[in-house]
Amino acid sequence: MDAFKPVTPQELDFIQGFRSGAGFAAAGSSIISEQNPNGKLFTLYAGWAFRYKTLSDGRRQILNFLLPGDFIGLQQEFANGASHGVEALTDATLCVFPRDGLWDLFRHFPSLGYDVTWLSAREEGMVDENLLTNGRRSATERVAMLLIHLYRRVKWLGLATDGSIEFPINQQHIADALGLSLVHTNKTLRRLKQLGLHELQDGRLRLLNPKALHRLADYYDLPMRQVPLL
């Protein structure tokens, strides 16, 4: 797939040996629980998930959404317990890796070690963008930014069909990701729809006026880069 960097036959053999199995997570189930490390790393093979943190009263902040190819769980390696949770948004299939195999990866295949570092930096960049969005963009700009960002990522994976993508995210997910109330989220989505900028129907998202959404979100359309895949 054009979205992912190619690997050498030797790297592929190592990755297949590194992988300890496959896993399945039903929609709504926990892949990683907060403060409960499971000693495993994952590549999301199919489906959607999200990383989140919660407060003691149950309020939740979605940190970012995870799509096929994303590497999950590395933060556990550097914290006492999982610093965040990961929940399956849809039924999800995962490749499972033992955490203690990372040393062999860095020792024997530095190129794959660099890929892990690259994936971590990419995720940090997305979290930085989310911080800017939630801290400085208006509610309308936030929602526009989220729609554009997720649409581009899904399309780059080759999962767009007839100009639309699967969009299993409900309004509560959007509110939790953007720091908005549910009422404000609903009003903002209706406003964007009335402006003819997007369409959400039957669990699919279509951008009707991408250029206007880009201008509204102050979003600059940089070329998508190939992503390492473990």
Side-chain angles (χ1 to χ4, degrees):
M1 297 176 62
D2 292 339
F4 298 104
K5 287 176 56 180
V7 294
T8 67
Q10 294 79 12
E11 289 171 335
L12 182 58
D13 287 342
F14 177 83
I15 292 170
Q16 290 177 331
F18 179 26
R19 186 176 61 190
S20 61
F24 173 80
S29 65
S30 177
I31 297 171
I32 296 176
S33 299
E34 286 183 284
Q35 307 306 324
N36 185 24
N38 58 17
K40 295 178 182 177
L41 304 166
F42 306 92
T43 291
L44 184 58
Y45 184 77
W48 290 54
F50 60 85
R51 294 196 311 117
Y52 68 92
K53 292 178 74 73
T54 55
L55 297 175
S56 58
D57 61 2
R59 285 176 292 167
R60 179 179 68 180
Q61 176 67 46
I62 291 179
L63 305 173
N64 66 320
F65 292 97
L66 302 167
L67 297 175
D70 286 345
F71 195 50
I72 303 170
L74 188 63
Q75 290 88 344
Q76 303 179 82
E77 182 71 16
F78 307 102
N80 295 322
S83 60
H84 61 265
V86 178
E87 181 178 312
L89 184 58
T90 67
D91 289 349
T93 306
L94 304 119
C95 295
V96 184
F97 303 93
R99 193 169 47 169
D100 56 11
L102 277 175
W103 282 111
D104 287 336
L105 182 148
F106 278 92
R107 271 197 300 262
H108 299 301
F109 285 92
S111 59
L112 293 179
Y114 177 83
D115 286 345
V116 170
T117 304
W118 192 93
L119 288 169
S120 299
R122 171 177 174 260
E123 185 164 339
E124 181 183 5
M126 285 192 282
V127 172
D128 288 351
E129 191 64 46
N130 292 344
L131 182 60
L132 171 64
T133 293
N134 291 352
R136 291 300 176 186
R137 287 186 167 100
S138 69
T140 303
E141 292 167 340
R142 292 183 207 183
V143 174
M145 180 69 184
L146 181 68
L147 297 179
I148 294 167
H149 177 68
L150 289 176
Y151 186 91
R152 289 194 73 213
R153 288 181 63 197
V154 175
K155 183 179 179 182
W156 180 237
L157 292 172
L159 300 176
T161 304
D162 297 327
S164 70
I165 64 166
E166 177 191 16
F167 199 76
I169 297 169
N170 61 34
Q171 291 188 12
Q172 187 63 63
H173 294 125
I174 295 173
D176 288 351
L178 300 179
L180 300 172
S181 70
L182 194 56
V183 172
H184 204 166
T185 299
N186 179 272
K187 289 181 178 179
T188 304
L189 283 168
R190 282 194 285 113
R191 180 179 177 226
L192 291 176
K193 181 180 179 180
Q194 290 166 356
L195 291 172
L197 302 185
H198 82 288
E199 178 183 78
L200 269 172
Q201 187 174 358
D202 299 326
R204 298 193 68 84
L205 169 67
R206 185 185 303 274
L207 303 187
L208 302 178
N209 192 337
K211 290 184 178 180
L213 273 173
H214 280 66
R215 288 194 299 270
L216 181 61
D218 195 20
Y219 181 85
Y220 296 95
D221 199 0
L222 298 175
M224 301 287 282
R225 293 180 58 180
Q226 285 187 313
V227 178
L229 179 66
L230 294 181

